Amino acid sequence: MNVLLCLAVILFILMILIGGKKGARSFFALFLNFGVLLLAAVIMTDPKANPVILTMLACTVISGINLFYINEVNNKTKPAFLSAMITIGVLLLFIVMVTETAMIQGFGEEETEELSIFSLYIGVDFVKIGASVIIMSTIGAITDVAISITSPMRELYHHQPSISRKELFRFGISIGRDILGTNTNTMFFAFFGGYIALLIWFKDLSYSFGEVVNSKLFSAEMITILCAGIGIALVIPITSWIAAYTFVKTREKRGTS
């Protein structure tokens, strides 16, 4: 506990020194997001709850915290929020279909020994739970990419108010291309690094390459990484178009008023 407290204090001090008030809001946003995820997880245990709808509500709140609470409500966070919501909606439907097709829901055979003493008849839809877990893992990256695109687009629009919608859209896509590779790799190494122990376990079980690839645990993690990459790729053109449309529409309204 002392180590956790010391690390939290160090993180808070660094975020204050570097980010100022926004850094402090970012630090407290971590706990707010954790509270939302914890509440969503508790409600998901209710058989009457719909995990897909609950995930959308949780993602909406998390996106609002990450964008509006940290960066305030302005003309760069509004397009980013709308873009994130559209991307999450499309991605959630896609992930539900992928989860049903790949049958990665539930537990793998490697976990049966530890779970043998528990009953698995808990009355929840494991397909929807699996889809919810994947989308929760990608929400942070999606909102991060969205605000990373709208922020420089707003700066360009501020310095070049006469820029066309098409040029502004191309600028957003250009930024997105630079972000795409780094964020996708970040997601890959974050998930892969967290499951190094799983690969060591597979080695101890003397799994062949084919058995590793077809393992439910390994497949679930790889599908999570791939879906996260798809979400990052989708949010780039969506954010670029919405931001370009919003900025130019604002200019046109000011011109007619």
Side-chain angles (χ1 to χ4, degrees), residues 44 50-52 55 96 99 105 125-133:
M44 279 185 188
N50 189 324
V52 175
T55 300
V96 170
T99 305
Q105 69 276 6
D125 191 336
F126 276 100
V127 174
K128 294 179 179 178
I129 292 292
S132 299
V133 170

Side-chain angles (χ1 to χ4, degrees), residues 207-214 218:
Y207 273 27
S208 65
F209 179 76
E211 289 174 325
V212 171
V213 172
N214 289 284
F218 183 82

Side-chain angles (χ1 to χ4, degrees), residues 28-227:
F28 291 115
L30 294 174
F31 297 95
L32 294 176
N33 289 331
F34 175 75
V36 173
L37 291 176
L38 183 61
L39 180 62
V42 171
I43 299 177
M44 279 185 188
T45 59
D46 184 357
K48 297 180 181 179
N50 189 324
V52 175
I53 296 177
L54 188 60
T55 300
M56 283 300 301
L57 293 175
C59 288
T60 302
V61 175
I62 291 172
S63 298
I65 292 172
N66 292 341
L67 295 173
F68 297 136
Y69 175 70
I70 297 176
N71 299 286
E72 300 179 350
V73 180
N74 50 54
N75 58 356
K76 71 176 180 181
T77 54
K78 290 179 182 178
F81 178 79
L82 180 59
S83 304
M85 289 298 97
I86 294 174
T87 304
I88 290 169
V90 174
L91 193 61
L92 186 57
L93 296 175
F94 174 74
I95 288 174
V96 170
M97 292 187 295
V98 169
T99 305
E100 290 178 344
T101 303
M103 293 187 293
I104 60 171
Q105 69 276 6
F107 303 97
E109 60 181 8
E110 297 85 3
E111 301 170 300
T112 54
E113 183 177 349
E114 290 81 3
L115 298 171
S116 59
I117 62 174
F118 300 104
S119 173
L120 299 181
Y121 297 99
I122 58 177
V124 297
D125 191 336
F126 276 100
V127 174
K128 294 179 179 178
I129 292 292
S132 299
V133 170
I134 295 174
I135 197 67
M136 288 289 190
S137 302
T138 63
I139 177 63
I142 290 174
T143 54
D144 178 60
V145 171
I147 193 65
S148 297
I149 292 175
T150 57
S151 183
M153 286 181 69
R154 188 185 72 163
E155 290 299 317
L156 178 65
Y157 171 75
H158 177 72
H159 292 287
Q160 298 183 26
S162 61
I163 189 172
S164 67
R165 182 176 297 159
K166 187 175 182 179
E167 292 175 338
L168 199 55
F169 173 77
R170 287 179 176 176
F171 178 74
I173 293 294
S174 176
I175 297 170
R177 286 172 181 164
D178 296 333
I179 297 173
L180 180 61
T182 55
N183 274 269
T184 304
N185 278 286
T186 299
M187 296 295 294
F188 174 78
F189 288 116
F191 285 111
F192 198 77
Y195 281 86
I196 288 293
L198 177 63
L199 299 179
I200 297 174
W201 188 21
F202 285 152
K203 180 181 180 298
D204 292 338
L205 294 174
S206 300
Y207 273 27
S208 65
F209 179 76
E211 289 174 325
V212 171
V213 172
N214 289 284
S215 169
K216 181 180 286 189
L217 290 175
F218 183 82
S219 299
E221 294 310 314
M222 290 306 300
I223 288 175
T224 301
I225 295 170
L226 294 174
C227 288

